Amino acid sequence: RACPIVFFAFSCQVNVCQIYDELPTPAATNGATDASSAARSKKRTMNMVAMTAVTMCGILYSSISLVTLTDFGSAILPNILSCYSPKTAGPLMHVAFVAMALAVVMAYPLNIFPARVSILHMMHTSKRRGSSMCSHGDEE
């Protein structure tokens, strides 16, 4: 029963290479760019982006969990929306059901496109040995 939760939790991993690649490369103050310092700076920025995203998700998940816990106590079901009956729910719950359906529908294209780009990039770099897997476009 935990596999869908784990798969859903890590479904954003296909976006990591594209996010890293789209981060701006810092320019040096003297005009000359040191490749190793630029890479370190880009890694620090990516670490900050990842930490911010994980923190935001943790706060969001924790707040939803606490609200549901105070609302239902020990009668919580594994799917939080299952605790609320669609027949007796108010308009706010209908919005929540629609938002969850929209999130599921929108997750597919948002995850498949970066996965396709990453796969095509890996196929391209396998032809040209020596390229980094997460960065492209600089040497083309």
Side-chain angles (χ1 to χ4, degrees), residues 13-14 16-18 20-21 114-115 117-126 128-137 139:
Q13 297 303 314
V14 296
V16 171
C17 286
Q18 189 167 0
Y20 181 81
D21 198 39
V117 169
S118 295
I119 290 170
L120 289 175
H121 179 66
M122 285 188 304
M123 290 171 50
H124 177 70
T125 56
S126 68
R128 297 172 49 207
R129 304 264 180 200
S131 295
S132 171
M133 189 170 106
C134 285
S135 63
H136 69 283
E139 63 269 5

Side-chain angles (χ1 to χ4, degrees), residues 4-126:
I5 295 169
V6 172
F7 292 154
F8 184 72
F10 292 106
S11 66
C12 65
Q13 297 303 314
V14 296
N15 297 317
V16 171
C17 286
Q18 189 167 0
I19 292 169
Y20 181 81
D21 198 39
E22 291 177 4
L23 286 175
T25 304
T29 56
N30 61 3
T33 310
D34 183 16
S36 64
S37 66
R40 281 192 303 271
S41 177
K42 200 168 183 179
K43 283 182 183 181
R44 275 195 302 271
T45 304
M46 185 63 195
N47 285 339
M48 195 60 155
V49 167
M51 292 289 283
T52 303
V54 168
T55 302
M56 287 174 55
C57 286
I59 290 170
L60 181 67
Y61 288 148
S62 298
S63 62
I64 290 172
S65 298
L66 289 174
V67 168
T68 306
L69 181 63
T70 58
D71 200 13
F72 290 101
S74 63
I76 296 176
L77 297 174
N79 182 356
I80 292 175
L81 290 179
S82 298
C83 295
Y84 299 95
S85 171
K87 295 176 184 173
T88 61
L92 191 57
M93 282 312 299
H94 289 290
V95 170
F97 278 100
V98 170
M100 188 63 186
L102 188 62
V104 170
V105 168
M106 295 304 289
Y108 181 77
L110 290 175
N111 286 320
I112 294 302
F113 179 72
R116 183 183 67 85
V117 169
S118 295
I119 290 170
L120 289 175
H121 179 66
M122 285 188 304
M123 290 171 50
H124 177 70
T125 56
S126 68

